């Protein structure tokens, strides 16, 4: 049986500001511009261009098209087709079945469902509710065909009535959404006020309907839901409203001219049969998934099994795209696209509290424009908005992904959209060779956890490039450009002595051989537990902090670091020398202010190779053995500071 995710509460750590937007180019290293939407084409520069980055896999970053695949068809496979017949056997292409229910039911444990191209308005369900797939099963695309599963249905023209000059209404009763609890807000049992969400995530004044998982589409374009107060007067083009008291849904689009779709299914699949399952080359879009954690929190929910997802797409789902609960060793998502999902695209909750290894892998994927509904505007205790949010994971490899444009709340006073985030007693987590750009929160965040490695990444245009509030974490050879603050290292208010779901206090952190370039702070080092509990002091945070090269482009009021600790007031350091004197940290480091670039071959063009003659050229220190192993490079030997080329 699938196991329900219960992520630990997550506290805010940053305030949103509008990040700097750098225009980076792929042309410098021979890649074509990705088929993306909102931001200009992104690249990591030559520093990491030689590795098998996702753009070299032919992935469409918009999530609108599926990658080409040609998986071998095993003997005894079941065929699923849009023109199939559930009375057939499914054993040949000519006898394909029509529905996901029938295909899974006639496939033996460990067998394969081969899906022909086309659109399946379907899900694995019993009546109006999803049901758990009771056995391991493999689902893959037919060679060179593009199968999509969708949670939306076409709404026929005859079910719409014109109201006034430009509005149309259709009778509507809330479908079986949110695990059957559409009218409840979860977390503090606030009662039947609806729609379903963590109570803490219902406070978004700039998008008050973000919490409602219902969706409407006109000619394939998503509409923005607005409150149903006087929809006949206020509803504008590009929006829709649901008046549940009247039982009507309104749009400002003529169904005689436009193709109208409404989402009616919360999820496509709940895989929970144990053993080993896989999804290959298939797409899942427009499911009315919900923000809080249950079996309908994503278009696909995978619980307690060894499950691999590859060359798949999860797009335009109301909240989550893909959720893993307690993944077994061998589980992975690779070569896939998660784009334009309303909340966190990939969520996974592991078993570190039981000291059971997960060894979960997230490798070679694209995450683009997630948290599209702008969750987290005023959250205080259940913030989780990100492209990737892992919790309680024991063993995770997050490598060679492109993570971009995670949406922050519009006009937010609080909240943010993070990039890659592992929180709550994550152990043995490595983040390597990722491009993380245009995320208004933290680019890579290792929070209240242990034994992390953050190495070889390029992170641009975030509030904080890297955030560390964890023990035994090593931050080596990253290139951080145009972030409001390069790194933030701090001790969290929570403590493992009082909360078994978090890791040790911040200590034994090593920060070396990084390049930090921007107009804001290079480092923020803070104690968030002042006056609350006896946590670690700033003096105890670091096992090493040396050999970093920083360029402060703002020459008017340069600041190397801000440090706050219990025994002295918060202080901005306007020079590296003063910081070194006070704290004994920063040996063999550089801090250069002014407009001229001291490091890169061509920063403007996104070419982040260290140029000949730079102080960062060939001046990196030998890597710790575990960092070298995570990067797949020798520990010793001449090496530049900043991001590395993948082997």
């Amino acid at each position: 049986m699938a196991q329900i995710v219960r992520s630990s509460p997550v506290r805010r750590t940053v305030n949103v500001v509008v990040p700097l937007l750098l225009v980076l180019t792929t042309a410098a290293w021979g890649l074509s511009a990705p088929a993306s939407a909102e931001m200009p084409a992104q690249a990591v520069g030559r520093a990491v261009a030689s590795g098998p980055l996702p753009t070299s896999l032919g992935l469409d970053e918009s999530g609108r098209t599926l990658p080409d695949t040609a998986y071998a068809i095993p003997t005894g496979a079941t065929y699923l087709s849009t023109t199939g017949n559930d009375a057939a056997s499914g054993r040949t292409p000519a006898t394909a079945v029509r529905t996901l229910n029938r295909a899974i039911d006639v496939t033996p444990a460990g067998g394969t469902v081969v899906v022909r191209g086309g659109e399946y308005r379907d899900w694995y369900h019993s009546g109006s509710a999803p049901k758990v797939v009771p056995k391991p099963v493999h689902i893959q695309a037919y060679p060179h065909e593009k199968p999509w599963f969708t949670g939306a249905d076409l709404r026929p023209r005859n079910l719409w009535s014109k109201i006034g000059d430009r509005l149309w209404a259709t009778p509507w009763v809330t479908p079986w959404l949110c695990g059957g609890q559409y009218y409840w807000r979860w977390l503090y049992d606030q009662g039947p006020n609806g729609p379903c969400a963590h109570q803490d995530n219902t406070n978004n004044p700039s998008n008050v309907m973000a919490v409602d998982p219902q969706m409407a589409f006109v000619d394939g374009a998503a509409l923005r839901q607005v409150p149903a107060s006087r929809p006949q007067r206020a509803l504008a083009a590009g929006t829709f409203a649901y008046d549940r008291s009247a039982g009507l849904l309104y749009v400002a689009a003529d169904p005689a001219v436009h193709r109208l779709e409404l989402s009616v299914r919360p999820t496509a699949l709940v895989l929970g049969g144990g053993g080993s399952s896989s999804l290959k080359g298939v797409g899942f879009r427009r499911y009315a998934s919900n923000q809080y954690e249950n079996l309908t929190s994503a278009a696909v929910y995978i619980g307690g099994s060894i499950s691999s997802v590859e060359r798949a797409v999860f797009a335009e789902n109301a909240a989550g795209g893909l959720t893993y609960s307690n993944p077994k060793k061998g589980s992975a998502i690779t070569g896939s696209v998660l784009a334009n999902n309303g909340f966190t695209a990939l969520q996974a909750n592991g078993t570190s509290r039981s000291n059971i290894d997960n060894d979960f892998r997230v490798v070679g994927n694209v995450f683009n424009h997630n948290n599209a509904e702008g969750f987290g505007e005023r959250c205080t205790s259940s913030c989780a908005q990100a492209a990737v949010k892992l919790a309680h994971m024991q063993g995770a490899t997050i490598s060679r992904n492109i993570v971009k444009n995670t949406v922050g709340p519009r006009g937010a006073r609080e909240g943010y959209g993070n990039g890659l985030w592992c929180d709550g007693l994550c152990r043995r987590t490595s983040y390597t060779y990722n491009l993380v750009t245009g995320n208004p929160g933290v680019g890579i965040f290792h929070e209240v956890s242990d034994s992390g490695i953050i190495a070889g990444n390029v992170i641009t245009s975030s509030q904080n490039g890297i955030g560390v509030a964890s023990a035994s974490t090593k931050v080596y050879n990253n290139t951080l450009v145009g972030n409001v603050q390069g790194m933030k290292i701090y001790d969290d208010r929570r403590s493992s002595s009082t909360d078994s779901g978090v890791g040790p206090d911040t200590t034994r952190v090593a920060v070396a051989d990084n390049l930090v370039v921007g107009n804001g702070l290079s480092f923020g080092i803070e104690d968030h537990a002042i006056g609350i509990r006896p946590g670690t002091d700033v003096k105890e945070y670091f096992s090493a902090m040396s050999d970093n090269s920083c360029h402060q482009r703002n020459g008017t009021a340069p600041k190397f670091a801000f440090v706050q600790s219990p025994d002295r007031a918060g202080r901005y350091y306007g020079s590296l020398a003063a910081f070194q004197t006070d704290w004994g940290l920063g040996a063999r480091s550089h801090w250069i202010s002014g407009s001229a670039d001291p490091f890169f071959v061509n920063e403007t063009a996104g070419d982040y190779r260290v140029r000949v003659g730079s102080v960062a050229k060939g001046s990196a220190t030998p890597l710790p053995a575990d960092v070298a192993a995570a990067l797949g490079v020798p520990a010793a030997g001449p090496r530049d500071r900043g991001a590395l080329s993948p082997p």
Side-chain angles (χ1 to χ4, degrees), residues 8-14 187-188 198-204 291 375-385 413-416 421 447 492-494:
S8 65
V10 179
R11 301 197 182 273
R12 296 188 307 271
T13 57
V14 296
L187 189 61
Y188 302 118
H198 285 90
Q199 183 71 15
D200 199 39
N201 275 280
T202 61
N203 305 315
N204 286 22
Q291 182 270 332
F375 279 100
E377 188 163 344
R378 293 183 179 177
C379 64
T380 59
S381 62
S382 61
C383 308
Q385 54 274 15
R413 296 185 306 171
E414 305 281 0
Y416 46 88
W421 185 6
E447 186 185 19
D492 193 271
R493 294 165 182 255
R494 292 164 286 177

Side-chain angles (χ1 to χ4, degrees), residues 44-336:
V44 288
R46 295 185 186 276
V48 291
S50 60
L53 291 169
T55 43
S56 68
L57 301 177
L59 299 179
D60 175 4
E61 295 184 10
S62 73
R64 296 188 183 98
T65 60
L66 281 158
D68 186 51
T69 59
Y71 294 108
I73 298 176
T75 302
T78 301
Y79 291 85
L80 174 63
S81 171
T82 58
T83 59
N85 184 339
D86 276 358
S89 67
R91 291 294 170 247
T92 68
T95 60
V97 299
R98 175 65 184 83
T99 66
L100 197 54
N101 269 13
R102 173 67 173 163
I104 291 174
D105 289 348
V106 300
T107 300
T112 299
V113 177
V114 176
V115 190
R116 302 302 302 266
E119 187 167 47
Y120 298 82
R121 301 181 187 276
D122 197 7
W123 59 325
Y124 189 67
H125 67 287
S126 177
S128 61
K131 61 181 180 180
V132 179
V133 177
K135 57 195 173 187
V137 65
H138 304 281
I139 300 175
Q140 67 183 53
Y142 189 88
H144 307 298
E145 295 188 359
K146 309 292 179 68
W148 282 98
F149 292 95
T150 180
D153 280 350
L154 290 169
R155 193 70 171 171
R157 175 182 176 181
N158 64 343
L159 295 181
W160 295 90
S161 299
K162 190 173 183 181
I163 299 175
D165 294 333
R166 58 183 184 82
L167 290 183
W168 285 260
T170 187
W172 193 249
V173 176
T174 309
W176 198 97
L177 304 180
C178 308
Q181 295 180 299
Y182 174 81
Y183 294 105
W184 287 81
R185 292 181 180 179
W186 186 84
L187 189 61
Y188 302 118
D189 293 330
Q190 295 296 310
N193 300 311
C196 56
H198 285 90
Q199 183 71 15
D200 199 39
N201 275 280
T202 61
N203 305 315
N204 286 22
S206 63
N207 187 12
V208 296
M209 300 308 297
V211 297
D212 193 337
Q214 298 194 88
M215 290 188 293
F217 301 85
V218 172
D219 298 330
L223 302 181
R224 178 181 171 89
Q225 188 174 1
V226 298
S229 175
R230 291 189 168 184
Q232 295 89 333
R233 297 182 183 179
L235 199 63
T239 66
F240 78 100
Y242 170 47
D243 185 345
R244 73 187 191 200
S245 62
L248 293 172
L249 188 146
Y250 299 89
V251 298
D254 185 351
V257 178
H258 300 284
R259 190 171 182 260
L260 303 183
E261 296 175 82
L262 304 179
S263 291
V264 296
R265 289 171 285 276
T267 190
L269 278 170
V270 178
L271 296 173
S276 177
S277 296
S278 65
L279 301 173
K280 299 179 180 180
V282 291
F284 302 90
R285 62 188 176 194
R286 301 177 184 171
Y287 284 89
S289 53
N290 46 261
Q291 182 270 332
Y292 69 88
E293 298 95 342
N294 63 357
L295 296 183
T296 58
S297 63
V300 174
Y301 183 104
I302 300 174
S305 63
I306 305 170
S307 298
S308 62
V309 175
E310 62 181 68
R311 307 286 279 173
V313 175
F314 302 83
E316 296 184 315
N317 298 294
L322 175 63
T323 290
Y324 277 87
S325 178
N326 300 337
K328 298 288 182 65
K329 293 179 69 173
S331 294
I333 172 171
T334 59
S336 296

